[in-house]
Amino acid sequence: MAEIHLLSDEIINKIAAGEVIERPASAVKELIENAIDAGATRIQIQIEQGGKKKILVTDNGKGMGAADLDLCYLRHTTSKLTNADDLFHLHTNGFRGEAVASIAAVSKLTITSATQEGESGRIVVKGGEVIEKEDIQASRGTSFLVEDLFYNTPVRRTFLGSETSECSRILDIVLKTAISHPEIRFDYKVGDRTVFTGVPGELRSRIAEAIGSKVAKGLLPVDYTEAGVHVTGYISPTTETNGKRNHQFLFMRNRPIENKMVSKAVSQAYEPYGAQCKPVTVLFLDMPDMEFDINVHPAKREVRFANGNLVFLVVTHAIRDTFTKDLEAHSPIIDLSDEFMGSPASVSQTAPAQSTMPEMPGTIETPTQPSFATPAQPQNDLPWENPFQQAKPYATSASKPYAQPVKPATTLSDKKSKYDVSDDVQDLFSLPEYGKIISLEPDHSKPAPPPETPWAPPSFFQIANTYIAGEDSNGLLIIDQHAAHTRVLFEQAMESLQNNIMQDSQELLFPELIDLSKQEKEIFRNVDEQLRKLGFFVEPFGGDTYQIRSIPSALPLSRAAKAVHDFLNDVDEDDTKNDMVKFQEAIAKSWAKTNAYQAGDKLKPEEITALVSQLMITQDPLKSPFGSPTLMRLTLEELSKKFRH
């Protein structure tokens, strides 16, 4: 008896569903793309319980007649191609021929559709089997109602995230698709609550609706072509520091895609401008049909390029070309070429005209080519002195200017040595009529300076405003100030959340206004209570604008807005409120990371002492809540080995 046998259609459909429909967001993506391919100008999405209970996608496209309704839920049926060559010349949102069939295999799917000619009907499929079919009257377009997703594959349902997490993923799909098609109206609801509305318009307006108007206003337009690759869209300037990981959008002919090489190209283009630069990018790629393949992934998330290195270079060049154009457009250009020829300098139209000084009486001979030479300065010939050493008996008059009367010197060399830099020198740049003359004679009326005290090194000090170093009984101790402070704040936050204790906060005299993106607003709704316990009081101000009323007492006001943005971006959306401890840990980690000292922050001596003391009494002082080490020690033996021959 043969051990190899054919699988049933039921098993085949469930396998396909596992590849194409990974979660509710996958179903929403496929249905939205079908609506776009059907020519819809308005798409409405409504979900319940993160899409697990209900997904409703309605469009006003061309619709389907009775014959198409009988075929649309079957595997490998399509209206997008007729032969194999069409796979490489698709102008729709891709093709797998398994999307609707995969959804129907793991849910109860109700399809209602009507054409412009008035032909309409409804079909109900459950687990891949038709259970109901009827002719009804309906408006032009198609409606897909997905209920009880993964009801017959409970294992897959178990591995789904929380309701908040799945809603956020669906919102991400809606926003990406809405940005790629600003000419289509989008309405996204969670239950009866409207989360996103995209009004038909231009691309920048759609970006403002999706990400925020403040960010959209500052974006720079991209339009660059090289070697047959065309890059268009918008990118943020190099000064943007509030860009988020979900604020980088990449499209291939209006299809949202993912590609690690292109993402790396964006990072490399912004790399020279520092790690604090967090760009917002909306890039559209276009190239000949045979140079890319959109169907390499079952869910059409990824794209493969025939020449990935070329695409990498073109994207990098496109971004840097945009920076260059922006710099040229907003930088004044001053032409000094004529000044060296003896005539007034000519200034471009972008620079304001310079007024000329009136001529002074008398004649002054001016050389045709003025000399800009400066007196030669001694290079590296100053003797090094230990600042902590006691003053030597032969100290100059500069080191002890008021010890005794000084006989007026007859020559400059007698008066000062070439290394002597005293503050009682003639101001050579002042004029007598302005009354700013400093006497060359010593001023004996000044009080004598206090006696010098021996320098005592602190127990801990900063290195590069990033690390804290000090000596202990075993050797040299080096502490990462960010990791250490994160550990301290994490345990403080956990104590506040678990014991319902409000942390100290400072109320702002003038509330600070910030704009939250659609994703940030959804996350804020779920963590607002925890934010208040940790010292943040943020409330809606209207639309996408919120006002910060109070912040943690130790947080500088200048970092308030960035702290809120970073916190909402860092909260782990996969953590569910059903596991309260895990949820509290996620909140505490994000809050600690946001409010901790950053690399480059200069700390006062008392802040250094307090941080070291607080770290040593934490439950786990050796590592941060993210697992990275907080400190390291170089023992005396290790130091001795470093200096042995």
Side-chain angles (χ1 to χ4, degrees):
M1 181 178 178
E3 295 184 3
I4 299 177
H5 57 277
L6 293 173
L7 295 176
S8 65
D9 290 340
E10 179 184 2
I11 297 177
I12 292 174
N13 286 338
K14 287 185 179 180
I15 294 174
E19 295 177 343
V20 180
I21 310 301
E22 300 173 323
R23 53 191 347 113
S26 305
V28 173
K29 176 180 181 292
E30 297 292 345
L31 297 177
I32 290 179
E33 289 182 347
N34 284 345
I36 294 173
D37 292 339
T41 59
R42 180 171 184 175
I43 302 176
Q44 298 171 290
I45 306 100
Q46 185 177 17
I47 66 170
E48 293 182 8
Q49 295 183 8
K52 303 173 189 178
K53 180 181 179 181
K54 172 186 173 182
I55 298 173
L56 176 61
V57 178
T58 305
D59 67 70
N60 63 348
K62 60 184 179 181
M64 295 182 288
D68 290 332
L69 275 176
D70 291 334
L71 296 173
C72 69
Y73 65 91
L74 300 177
R75 294 182 70 225
H76 299 157
T77 58
T78 183
S79 61
K80 302 176 184 178
L81 57 102
T82 57
N83 55 62
D85 290 339
D86 292 341
L87 283 171
F88 302 98
H89 302 281
L90 288 174
H91 295 280
T92 61
N93 283 277
F95 168 75
R96 294 293 299 185
E98 298 171 318
V100 178
S102 298
I103 297 173
V106 292
S107 69
K108 178 183 177 182
L109 177 63
T110 303
I111 308 173
T112 305
S113 188
T115 64
Q116 188 173 5
E117 292 75 20
E119 187 177 2
S120 60
R122 183 175 67 184
I123 189 170
V124 181
V125 185
K126 186 174 183 180
E129 299 293 332
V130 178
I131 61 174
E132 186 179 343
K133 181 180 178 182
E134 61 179 335
D135 294 331
I136 63 169
Q137 294 297 320
S139 301
R140 177 192 169 184
T142 304
S143 172
F144 287 88
L145 175 61
V146 183
E147 298 175 288
D148 298 328
L149 187 63
F150 300 130
Y151 79 97
N152 54 354
T153 54
V155 176
R156 184 170 297 278
R157 191 180 183 93
T158 302
F159 282 93
L160 295 179
S162 65
E163 180 178 336
T164 301
S165 174
E166 297 301 330
C167 286
S168 179
R169 284 187 169 92
I170 294 174
L171 175 60
D172 183 61
I173 293 294
V174 173
L175 293 182
K176 286 180 177 178
T177 313
I179 289 175
S180 65
H181 292 276
E183 74 282 359
I184 300 177
R185 179 183 177 90
F186 284 85
D187 295 282
Y188 172 52
K189 289 186 176 182
V190 177
D192 295 328
R193 181 172 56 88
T194 299
V195 175
F196 172 75
T197 299
V199 180
E202 62 174 0
L203 178 57
R204 190 187 289 268
S205 299
R206 179 57 54 86
I207 295 174
E209 294 170 339
I211 302 178
S213 57
K214 184 177 180 181
V215 174
K217 288 179 181 177
L219 295 180
L220 308 176
V222 179
D223 192 351
Y224 183 84
T225 303
E226 182 180 348
V229 180
H230 189 200
V231 183
T232 58
Y234 289 93
I235 61 174
S236 61
T238 56
T239 54
E240 179 61 52
T241 58
N242 287 327
K244 304 295 181 283
R245 60 191 174 191
N246 51 9
H247 282 181
Q248 296 186 20
F249 303 92
L250 177 63
F251 305 92
M252 185 71 218
R253 289 187 180 172
N254 294 347
R255 286 173 283 197
I257 59 169
E258 297 175 5
N259 185 272
K260 294 181 179 179
M261 184 171 291
V262 176
S263 299
K264 187 176 180 181
V266 173
S267 300
Q268 180 168 307
Y270 279 89
E271 186 176 6
Y273 303 97
Q276 297 300 322
C277 180
K278 298 180 179 179
V280 176
T281 57
V282 180
L283 296 177
F284 293 81
L285 303 182
D286 193 8
M287 62 189 69
D289 294 337
M290 300 302 294
E291 296 298 320
F292 69 97
D293 187 359
I294 197 69
N295 285 306
V296 295
H297 191 278
K300 295 172 292 185
R301 282 200 306 262
E302 301 177 6
V303 63
R304 181 177 298 166
F305 299 110
N307 191 343
N309 292 332
L310 174 63
V311 176
F312 180 92
L313 291 175
V314 173
V315 171
T316 305
H317 294 168
I319 294 176
R320 294 189 175 175
D321 177 73
T322 302
F323 293 156
T324 302
K325 291 179 179 178
D326 180 64
L327 184 63
E328 293 175 350
H330 296 90
S331 297
I333 301 175
I334 302 177
D335 185 7
L336 298 177
S337 58
D338 292 338
E339 183 173 343
F340 296 100
M341 301 303 295
S343 58
S346 61
V347 182
S348 68
Q349 295 181 356
T350 56
Q354 301 292 332
S355 61
T356 59
M357 295 292 293
E359 291 187 1
M360 299 295 294
T363 59
I364 300 177
E365 294 184 2
T366 304
T368 56
Q369 294 186 358
S371 173
F372 295 94
T374 57
Q377 298 294 331
Q379 298 296 327
N380 300 325
D381 59 346
L382 291 177
W384 182 87
E385 294 180 0
N386 190 337
F388 310 118
Q389 216 169 23
Q390 294 293 333
K392 297 181 180 180
Y394 53 87
T396 62
S397 60
S399 61
K400 302 175 68 175
Y402 312 113
Q404 57 185 0
V406 180
K407 181 181 178 180
T410 57
T411 63
L412 183 61
S413 60
D414 293 335
K415 175 66 181 179
K416 302 288 181 181
S417 69
K418 70 174 181 178
Y419 301 123
D420 188 13
V421 182
S422 177
D423 59 350
D424 49 357
V425 248
Q426 173 69 48
D427 184 356
L428 300 179
F429 297 94
S430 63
L431 297 177
E433 55 267 29
Y434 291 100
K436 190 178 181 184
I437 299 180
I438 301 177
S439 174
L440 295 177
E441 296 297 327
D443 186 1
H444 303 291
S445 63
K446 295 182 180 179
E452 297 181 0
T453 57
W455 177 78
S459 55
F460 288 93
F461 58 92
Q462 265 189 304
I463 301 176
N465 292 340
T466 300
Y467 304 100
I468 298 172
E471 178 188 6
D472 67 358
S473 59
N474 294 321
L476 179 64
L477 194 66
I478 302 177
I479 301 173
D480 184 327
Q481 66 187 36
H482 175 70
H485 201 204
T486 302
R487 163 55 61 182
V488 172
L489 294 181
F490 170 75
E491 295 196 3
Q492 292 177 357
M494 286 298 294
E495 182 180 3
S496 296
L497 295 175
Q498 291 177 347
N499 301 323
N500 200 24
I501 301 174
M502 301 291 290
Q503 289 208 16
D504 294 338
S505 64
Q506 52 179 330
E507 186 172 355
L508 303 183
L509 181 61
F510 300 101
E512 184 167 357
L513 300 181
I514 60 173
D515 290 334
L516 299 185
S517 66
K518 296 296 184 293
Q519 291 102 328
E520 290 173 330
K521 288 173 63 176
E522 286 300 295
I523 297 173
F524 175 78
R525 291 182 58 256
N526 296 282
V527 299
D528 182 27
E529 181 182 352
Q530 286 72 25
L531 264 177
R532 296 194 182 194
K533 291 180 182 178
L534 298 176
F536 280 104
F537 185 84
V538 184
E539 62 181 8
F541 190 72
D544 294 335
T545 304
Y546 286 68
Q547 60 177 349
I548 304 175
R549 300 288 301 276
S550 62
I551 60 176
S553 56
L555 183 69
L557 176 60
S558 59
R559 286 175 51 187
K562 187 176 186 301
V564 174
H565 282 297
D566 289 345
F567 174 81
L568 296 176
N569 184 57
D570 289 334
V571 171
D572 192 346
E573 299 169 359
D574 290 330
D575 291 316
T576 173
K577 287 188 174 181
N578 296 330
D579 187 346
M580 186 54 66
V581 175
K582 187 177 180 182
F583 179 71
Q584 290 175 344
E585 287 181 354
I587 297 294
K589 284 182 179 179
S590 301
W591 182 83
K593 178 183 175 182
T594 297
N595 293 274
Y597 297 135
Q598 305 296 316
D601 287 351
K602 185 173 180 59
L603 306 183
K604 299 177 182 177
E606 57 269 23
E607 293 175 330
I608 295 176
T609 303
L611 176 58
V612 175
S613 302
Q614 292 171 346
L615 175 65
M616 296 309 171
I617 62 174
T618 58
Q619 297 180 3
D620 192 354
L622 299 181
K623 62 181 180 180
S624 76
F626 297 94
S628 59
T630 60
L631 57 86
M632 63 174 292
R633 175 181 281 110
L634 289 176
T635 64
L636 296 177
E637 294 180 358
E638 292 173 332
L639 289 173
S640 178
K641 291 179 181 179
K642 298 290 184 182
F643 291 98
R644 286 178 182 172
H645 296 291

